[in-house]
């Protein structure tokens, strides 16, 4: 079977956010309601500073209301909401003003700490501003002075939300209507980073003083078993964004953070690499061999470490030979590098697990850098 060639980043298609789609269908529905004419397209102005035209797949008249639909195109971005059907339903109301809400498949906020108040539909501030501003423009263009109800729906939104962090953030019943630019940059990290910031805000609002940040779902499971006394909001999946997450924890006044992960990514953190994606930096096996030497490993073991294929393999070598202090020192180095990156002001801990869930080593309550023991690689 032929392998599919990878696209060059510059050739990748940009897509549109759920917020842009929601704005487009709202404009089409309101225009149809006023003119009594079906709309085939809808052109809106995006926050990024340009116009975009959306295809209206369906325009339905039902008495005092009109619904318009479009299908979200996320371009070449691996987005959970790619191909989502976004529906905007607009109707007149005797109540003055513009009233925006979420319908089926749009989540509702149940926890404080998010940019949307508890009880409201999870339509973030920028999309909310886009929708309300666009409705106002249409009303002014047609010189209409009436109250308007707008409801945004995503029929499969509740199922799509299972692939997002919404449940952990306390957004129940569907996806969020998001987007600060209006466009989706292929393989961008902005949405994930935004969810990390929101998760920290939710944790702080829930009264969490100690957060546990993990590199993925598996390490989070191990972390929850290690810290059973902490509430669910305290656990945050940071993915590859170690430095970004720690800086935002500090910015939001979190005093104690525990990092939980595995050999591969944390071997990089120990060296001072704070963005641990596989493409961002390789494993420095000379660094790990030096650390092995520091804890008394013999020359043969150091060679094995230096010639290993993966950091996990290094972990296996050191565990089999009983060099338990190696893992403690590696955890300390993670704390020291992290403190150096954020310029202090936080109590850190690090725990490293094997792929099978064995706790290999940990370092606790580190608030300052031991310059003698810290090998920066």
């Amino acid at each position: 079977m032929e392998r599919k060639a990878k696209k060059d980043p510059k050739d990748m298609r940009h897509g549109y956010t759920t917020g842009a789609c929601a704005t487009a269908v709202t404009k089409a529905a309101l225009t149809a309601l006023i003119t009594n004419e079906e709309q085939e397209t809808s052109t809106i102005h995006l926050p990024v500073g340009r116009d975009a035209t959306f295809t209206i797949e369906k325009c339905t008249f039902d008495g005092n209301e009109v619904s318009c639909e479009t299908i979200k195109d996320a371009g070449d971005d691996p987005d959970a909401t790619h191909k989502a059907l976004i529906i905007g339903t607009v109707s007149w109301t005797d109540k003055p003003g513009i009233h925006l809400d979420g319908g089926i498949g749009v989540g509702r906020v149940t926890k404080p700490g998010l940019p949307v108040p508890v009880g409201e539909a999870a339509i973030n501030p920028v999309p909310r501003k886009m929708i309300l501003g666009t409705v106002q423009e249409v009303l002014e263009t047609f010189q209409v002075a009436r109250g308007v109800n707008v409801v945004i729906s995503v029929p499969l939104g509740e199922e799509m939300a299972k692939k997002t962090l919404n449940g952990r953030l306390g957004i129940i019943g569907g996806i969020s209507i998001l987007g600060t630019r209006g466009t989706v940059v292929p393989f961008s990290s902005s949405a994930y980073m935004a969810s990390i910031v929101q998760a920290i805000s939710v944790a702080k609002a829930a009264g969490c003083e100690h957060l546990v940040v993990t590199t993925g779902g598996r390490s989070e499971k191990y972390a929850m078993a290690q810290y059973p006394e902490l509430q669910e909001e305290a656990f945050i999946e940071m993915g590859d964004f170690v430095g970004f997450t720690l800086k935002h924890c500090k910015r939001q006044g979190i005093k104690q953070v525990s990092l939980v992960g595995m050999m591969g990514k944390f071997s990089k953190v120990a060296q001072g690499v704070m963005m641990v994606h596989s493409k961002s930096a390789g494993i420095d096996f000379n660094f790990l061999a030096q650390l092995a030497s520091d804890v008394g490993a013999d020359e043969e073991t150091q060679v094995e470490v230096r010639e290993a294929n993966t950091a996990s393999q290094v972990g296996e070598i050191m565990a089999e030979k009983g060099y338990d202090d190696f893992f403690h020192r590696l955890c300390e180095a993670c704390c020291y590098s992290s403190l150096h990156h954020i310029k202090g002001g936080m109590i850190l801990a690090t725990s490293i697990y094997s792929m099978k869930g064995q706790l290999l080593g940990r370092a606790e309550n580190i608030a300052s850098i031991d310059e003698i023991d810290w090998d920066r690689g």
Side-chain angles (χ1 to χ4, degrees):
M1 198 170 168
E2 244 181 71
R3 239 183 183 179
K4 194 173 179 184
K6 284 188 178 180
K7 285 190 178 183
D8 188 299
K10 69 176 182 294
D11 296 328
M12 290 180 179
R13 291 188 311 110
H14 286 213
Y16 296 102
T17 62
T18 47
C21 294
T23 303
V25 291
T26 299
K27 181 178 181 180
L30 179 57
T31 303
L33 185 64
I34 294 171
T35 64
N36 205 34
E37 296 175 359
E38 281 194 22
Q39 304 296 301
E40 295 182 352
T41 62
S42 179
T43 300
I44 63 168
H45 190 70
L46 302 173
V48 77
R50 63 178 179 83
D51 289 347
T53 299
F54 295 76
T55 299
I56 301 303
E57 304 291 338
K58 190 176 180 182
C59 191
T60 305
F61 292 81
D62 184 11
N64 190 42
E65 68 179 33
V66 176
S67 295
C68 285
E69 305 176 3
T70 195
I71 294 173
K72 180 187 170 181
D73 179 4
D76 285 321
D77 192 65
D79 191 307
T81 58
H82 181 50
K83 297 295 183 184
L85 182 67
I86 312 287
I87 304 174
T89 301
V90 175
S91 59
W92 300 121
T93 176
D94 293 333
K95 188 178 177 182
I98 304 164
H99 312 283
L100 175 61
D101 202 0
I104 187 169
V106 173
R108 201 153 290 274
V109 177
T110 65
K111 293 180 182 179
L114 294 170
V116 177
V118 170
E120 290 195 13
I123 303 173
N124 268 24
V126 173
R128 189 175 289 268
K129 184 179 178 182
M130 287 172 65
I131 294 167
L132 297 178
T134 300
V135 168
Q136 188 60 46
E137 284 175 16
V138 173
L139 292 174
E140 289 173 1
T141 298
F142 288 96
Q143 297 183 331
V144 174
R146 297 185 69 174
V148 178
N149 286 329
V150 178
V151 178
I152 306 299
S153 304
V154 185
L156 297 179
E158 190 163 7
E159 191 62 29
M160 291 173 176
K162 293 175 183 176
K163 300 176 183 176
T164 72
L165 294 176
N166 274 17
R168 177 64 54 82
L169 295 172
I171 299 170
I172 306 301
I175 64 166
S176 302
I177 304 300
L178 303 172
T180 56
R181 295 167 45 89
T183 59
V184 176
V185 180
F187 299 97
S188 70
S189 304
S190 56
Y192 195 90
M193 292 163 80
S195 71
I196 291 171
V197 175
Q198 288 192 345
I200 296 168
S201 298
V202 167
K204 186 176 182 185
C208 301
E209 296 180 352
H210 175 192
L211 300 190
V212 181
V213 295
T214 64
T215 51
R218 187 181 299 179
S219 54
E220 183 178 74
K221 183 177 76 172
Y222 303 151
M224 285 180 164
Q226 183 176 331
Y227 296 99
E229 73 280 6
L230 298 181
Q231 62 200 82
E232 186 186 39
E233 290 87 350
F235 297 89
I236 296 171
E237 282 190 40
M238 63 180 170
D240 298 322
F241 305 100
V242 181
F244 175 86
T245 302
L246 291 172
K247 282 185 174 180
H248 275 276
C249 285
K250 181 178 178 181
R251 193 169 293 168
Q252 296 200 40
I254 304 298
K255 298 297 183 186
Q256 185 175 358
V257 176
S258 297
L259 296 89
V260 178
M262 298 177 198
M263 279 291 298
K265 295 183 187 296
F266 278 15
S267 292
K268 296 180 183 181
V269 175
Q271 301 165 49
V273 177
M274 292 291 139
M275 192 340 177
V276 294
H277 190 277
S278 58
K279 293 178 181 175
S280 65
I283 303 293
D284 186 344
F285 291 97
N286 288 324
F287 166 81
L288 295 176
Q290 179 59 54
L291 200 61
S293 173
D294 292 344
V295 298
D298 56 43
E299 186 62 37
E300 182 185 347
T301 301
Q302 292 175 46
V303 171
E304 285 185 62
V305 169
R306 199 172 283 111
E307 295 179 352
N309 290 321
T310 64
S312 293
Q313 187 183 356
V314 172
E316 290 169 9
I317 292 167
M318 299 305 286
E320 283 172 10
K321 298 195 176 189
Y323 291 112
D324 294 339
D325 199 41
F326 171 85
F327 300 104
H328 176 71
R329 291 289 292 275
L330 191 61
C331 289
E332 283 185 332
C334 286
C335 293
Y336 297 152
S337 292
S338 298
L339 284 170
H340 177 74
H341 184 73
I342 63 172
K343 298 180 173 61
M346 196 181 287
I347 300 169
L348 296 181
T350 298
S351 298
I352 295 178
Y353 283 84
S354 72
M355 297 290 280
K356 294 179 180 177
Q358 178 190 358
L359 179 61
L360 298 173
R362 64 193 291 186
E364 298 277 348
N365 299 318
I366 294 181
S368 60
I369 297 170
D370 185 332
E371 295 286 353
I372 296 173
D373 285 343
W374 182 34
D375 184 345
R376 305 185 193 199

